mmCIF file of all heavy atoms in Angstrom:
data_model
loop_
_atom_site.group_PDB
_atom_site.id
_atom_site.type_symbol
_atom_site.label_atom_id
_atom_site.label_comp_id
_atom_site.label_asym_id
_atom_site.label_seq_id
_atom_site.Cartn_x
_atom_site.Cartn_y
_atom_site.Cartn_z
ATOM 1 N N LEU A 312 -45.288 42.514 -15.055
ATOM 2 C CA LEU A 312 -46.280 42.952 -14.083
ATOM 3 C C LEU A 312 -46.700 41.804 -13.214
ATOM 4 O O LEU A 312 -46.851 41.922 -11.985
ATOM 5 C CB LEU A 312 -47.489 43.570 -14.821
ATOM 6 C CG LEU A 312 -48.666 44.005 -13.966
ATOM 7 C CD1 LEU A 312 -48.186 45.173 -13.065
ATOM 8 C CD2 LEU A 312 -49.841 44.451 -14.793
ATOM 9 N N THR A 313 -46.964 40.626 -13.832
ATOM 10 C CA THR A 313 -47.251 39.416 -13.041
ATOM 11 C C THR A 313 -46.182 39.050 -12.084
ATOM 12 O O THR A 313 -46.411 38.693 -10.926
ATOM 13 C CB THR A 313 -47.574 38.249 -14.016
ATOM 14 O OG1 THR A 313 -48.607 38.633 -14.881
ATOM 15 C CG2 THR A 313 -48.008 37.040 -13.205
ATOM 16 N N ASN A 314 -44.928 39.157 -12.556
ATOM 17 C CA ASN A 314 -43.792 38.811 -11.677
ATOM 18 C C ASN A 314 -43.722 39.734 -10.487
ATOM 19 O O ASN A 314 -43.445 39.308 -9.349
ATOM 20 C CB ASN A 314 -42.511 38.861 -12.519
ATOM 21 C CG ASN A 314 -41.266 38.502 -11.670
ATOM 22 O OD1 ASN A 314 -40.442 39.359 -11.419
ATOM 23 N ND2 ASN A 314 -41.161 37.245 -11.263
ATOM 24 N N VAL A 315 -43.939 41.004 -10.721
ATOM 25 C CA VAL A 315 -43.889 41.979 -9.641
ATOM 26 C C VAL A 315 -44.996 41.683 -8.651
ATOM 27 O O VAL A 315 -44.773 41.704 -7.396
ATOM 28 C CB VAL A 315 -44.029 43.410 -10.153
ATOM 29 C CG1 VAL A 315 -44.259 44.409 -9.059
ATOM 30 C CG2 VAL A 315 -42.789 43.786 -10.964
ATOM 31 N N MET A 316 -46.169 41.335 -9.132
ATOM 32 C CA MET A 316 -47.298 41.023 -8.232
ATOM 33 C C MET A 316 -47.030 39.785 -7.431
ATOM 34 O O MET A 316 -47.337 39.748 -6.224
ATOM 35 C CB MET A 316 -48.605 40.877 -9.059
ATOM 36 C CG MET A 316 -49.173 42.171 -9.583
ATOM 37 S SD MET A 316 -50.852 42.047 -10.256
ATOM 38 C CE MET A 316 -50.592 41.034 -11.704
ATOM 39 N N VAL A 317 -46.388 38.786 -8.042
ATOM 40 C CA VAL A 317 -46.015 37.577 -7.282
ATOM 41 C C VAL A 317 -45.004 37.919 -6.194
ATOM 42 O O VAL A 317 -45.110 37.410 -5.050
ATOM 43 C CB VAL A 317 -45.504 36.516 -8.228
ATOM 44 C CG1 VAL A 317 -44.896 35.328 -7.464
ATOM 45 C CG2 VAL A 317 -46.566 35.997 -9.196
ATOM 46 N N LEU A 318 -43.985 38.698 -6.561
ATOM 47 C CA LEU A 318 -42.965 39.052 -5.553
ATOM 48 C C LEU A 318 -43.525 39.871 -4.426
ATOM 49 O O LEU A 318 -43.019 39.801 -3.287
ATOM 50 C CB LEU A 318 -41.825 39.830 -6.264
ATOM 51 C CG LEU A 318 -41.007 39.030 -7.283
ATOM 52 C CD1 LEU A 318 -39.953 39.914 -7.937
ATOM 53 C CD2 LEU A 318 -40.295 37.850 -6.588
ATOM 54 N N GLN A 319 -44.602 40.616 -4.704
ATOM 55 C CA GLN A 319 -45.204 41.444 -3.677
ATOM 56 C C GLN A 319 -46.288 40.678 -2.880
ATOM 57 O O GLN A 319 -46.908 41.194 -1.988
ATOM 58 C CB GLN A 319 -45.886 42.666 -4.328
ATOM 59 C CG GLN A 319 -44.871 43.680 -4.891
ATOM 60 C CD GLN A 319 -44.045 44.309 -3.778
ATOM 61 O OE1 GLN A 319 -44.531 45.013 -2.903
ATOM 62 N NE2 GLN A 319 -42.744 44.005 -3.799
ATOM 63 N N GLY A 320 -46.444 39.440 -3.255
ATOM 64 C CA GLY A 320 -47.423 38.585 -2.484
ATOM 65 C C GLY A 320 -48.862 38.869 -2.834
ATOM 66 O O GLY A 320 -49.741 38.571 -1.992
ATOM 67 N N VAL A 321 -49.135 39.440 -3.999
ATOM 68 C CA VAL A 321 -50.485 39.705 -4.400
ATOM 69 C C VAL A 321 -51.217 38.388 -4.633
ATOM 70 O O VAL A 321 -50.680 37.479 -5.340
ATOM 71 C CB VAL A 321 -50.546 40.602 -5.649
ATOM 72 C CG1 VAL A 321 -52.005 40.792 -6.127
ATOM 73 C CG2 VAL A 321 -49.869 41.934 -5.400
ATOM 74 N N ARG A 322 -52.404 38.238 -4.117
ATOM 75 C CA ARG A 322 -53.151 36.943 -4.240
ATOM 76 C C ARG A 322 -53.532 36.717 -5.679
ATOM 77 O O ARG A 322 -53.800 37.655 -6.509
ATOM 78 C CB ARG A 322 -54.366 36.992 -3.360
ATOM 79 C CG ARG A 322 -54.070 36.976 -1.865
ATOM 80 C CD ARG A 322 -55.334 36.940 -1.021
ATOM 81 N NE ARG A 322 -56.214 38.075 -1.303
ATOM 82 C CZ ARG A 322 -57.481 38.131 -0.963
ATOM 83 N NH1 ARG A 322 -58.036 37.115 -0.298
ATOM 84 N NH2 ARG A 322 -58.178 39.199 -1.247
ATOM 85 N N THR A 323 -53.652 35.429 -6.044
ATOM 86 C CA THR A 323 -53.964 35.074 -7.428
ATOM 87 C C THR A 323 -55.285 35.663 -7.938
ATOM 88 O O THR A 323 -55.328 36.131 -9.083
ATOM 89 C CB THR A 323 -53.999 33.488 -7.538
ATOM 90 O OG1 THR A 323 -52.794 32.950 -7.121
ATOM 91 C CG2 THR A 323 -54.348 33.052 -8.947
ATOM 92 N N PRO A 324 -56.387 35.698 -7.150
ATOM 93 C CA PRO A 324 -57.595 36.318 -7.679
ATOM 94 C C PRO A 324 -57.397 37.803 -8.010
ATOM 95 O O PRO A 324 -57.949 38.279 -9.000
ATOM 96 C CB PRO A 324 -58.571 36.174 -6.526
ATOM 97 C CG PRO A 324 -58.092 35.003 -5.763
ATOM 98 C CD PRO A 324 -56.622 35.040 -5.859
ATOM 99 N N VAL A 325 -56.584 38.469 -7.253
ATOM 100 C CA VAL A 325 -56.348 39.901 -7.547
ATOM 101 C C VAL A 325 -55.486 39.997 -8.795
ATOM 102 O O VAL A 325 -55.703 40.935 -9.608
ATOM 103 C CB VAL A 325 -55.621 40.528 -6.347
ATOM 104 C CG1 VAL A 325 -55.311 41.997 -6.638
ATOM 105 C CG2 VAL A 325 -56.437 40.442 -5.080
ATOM 106 N N GLN A 326 -54.552 39.100 -8.978
ATOM 107 C CA GLN A 326 -53.750 39.117 -10.243
ATOM 108 C C GLN A 326 -54.680 38.993 -11.476
ATOM 109 O O GLN A 326 -54.549 39.649 -12.460
ATOM 110 C CB GLN A 326 -52.745 38.003 -10.193
ATOM 111 C CG GLN A 326 -51.635 38.161 -9.145
ATOM 112 C CD GLN A 326 -50.646 37.053 -9.175
ATOM 113 O OE1 GLN A 326 -50.400 36.449 -10.210
ATOM 114 N NE2 GLN A 326 -50.079 36.737 -8.048
ATOM 115 N N GLY A 327 -55.622 38.015 -11.324
ATOM 116 C CA GLY A 327 -56.606 37.799 -12.441
ATOM 117 C C GLY A 327 -57.438 39.032 -12.683
ATOM 118 O O GLY A 327 -57.693 39.378 -13.834
ATOM 119 N N PHE A 328 -57.838 39.729 -11.612
ATOM 120 C CA PHE A 328 -58.604 40.942 -11.764
ATOM 121 C C PHE A 328 -57.801 42.023 -12.500
ATOM 122 O O PHE A 328 -58.313 42.670 -13.409
ATOM 123 C CB PHE A 328 -59.009 41.466 -10.357
ATOM 124 C CG PHE A 328 -59.651 42.834 -10.414
ATOM 125 C CD1 PHE A 328 -60.989 42.989 -10.772
ATOM 126 C CD2 PHE A 328 -58.922 43.935 -10.071
ATOM 127 C CE1 PHE A 328 -61.551 44.224 -10.819
ATOM 128 C CE2 PHE A 328 -59.512 45.211 -10.138
ATOM 129 C CZ PHE A 328 -60.828 45.347 -10.472
ATOM 130 N N VAL A 329 -56.571 42.152 -12.158
ATOM 131 C CA VAL A 329 -55.698 43.180 -12.798
ATOM 132 C C VAL A 329 -55.526 42.888 -14.271
ATOM 133 O O VAL A 329 -55.621 43.757 -15.143
ATOM 134 C CB VAL A 329 -54.326 43.256 -12.072
ATOM 135 C CG1 VAL A 329 -53.397 44.161 -12.876
ATOM 136 C CG2 VAL A 329 -54.448 43.749 -10.687
ATOM 137 N N LEU A 330 -55.249 41.615 -14.623
ATOM 138 C CA LEU A 330 -55.041 41.231 -15.992
ATOM 139 C C LEU A 330 -56.375 41.404 -16.800
ATOM 140 O O LEU A 330 -56.335 41.836 -17.972
ATOM 141 C CB LEU A 330 -54.537 39.828 -16.094
ATOM 142 C CG LEU A 330 -53.126 39.553 -15.523
ATOM 143 C CD1 LEU A 330 -52.723 38.090 -15.643
ATOM 144 C CD2 LEU A 330 -52.124 40.460 -16.164
ATOM 145 N N GLY A 331 -57.501 41.034 -16.183
ATOM 146 C CA GLY A 331 -58.783 41.224 -16.847
ATOM 147 C C GLY A 331 -59.052 42.704 -17.084
ATOM 148 O O GLY A 331 -59.570 43.077 -18.169
ATOM 149 N N LEU A 332 -58.644 43.523 -16.139
ATOM 150 C CA LEU A 332 -58.853 44.991 -16.324
ATOM 151 C C LEU A 332 -57.977 45.496 -17.432
ATOM 152 O O LEU A 332 -58.427 46.372 -18.202
ATOM 153 C CB LEU A 332 -58.466 45.686 -14.976
ATOM 154 C CG LEU A 332 -58.735 47.175 -14.883
ATOM 155 C CD1 LEU A 332 -60.241 47.455 -15.053
ATOM 156 C CD2 LEU A 332 -58.243 47.732 -13.597
ATOM 157 N N LEU A 333 -56.809 44.965 -17.578
ATOM 158 C CA LEU A 333 -55.883 45.379 -18.676
ATOM 159 C C LEU A 333 -56.516 45.038 -20.034
ATOM 160 O O LEU A 333 -56.483 45.869 -20.955
ATOM 161 C CB LEU A 333 -54.548 44.625 -18.542
ATOM 162 C CG LEU A 333 -53.547 45.181 -17.546
ATOM 163 C CD1 LEU A 333 -52.308 44.293 -17.478
ATOM 164 C CD2 LEU A 333 -53.160 46.617 -17.904
ATOM 165 N N ILE A 334 -57.170 43.840 -20.129
ATOM 166 C CA ILE A 334 -57.829 43.480 -21.372
ATOM 167 C C ILE A 334 -58.960 44.471 -21.692
ATOM 168 O O ILE A 334 -59.093 44.933 -22.803
ATOM 169 C CB ILE A 334 -58.351 42.046 -21.324
ATOM 170 C CG1 ILE A 334 -57.216 41.045 -21.292
ATOM 171 C CG2 ILE A 334 -59.276 41.751 -22.514
ATOM 172 C CD1 ILE A 334 -57.661 39.601 -21.257
#
Side-chain angles (χ1 to χ4, degrees):
L312 180 62
T313 303
N314 181 249
V315 170
M316 287 192 290
V317 170
L318 293 177
Q319 290 296 295
V321 177
R322 293 183 300 167
T323 301
V325 178
Q326 294 180 30
F328 172 78
V329 172
L330 295 179
L332 187 62
L333 281 176
I334 291 181

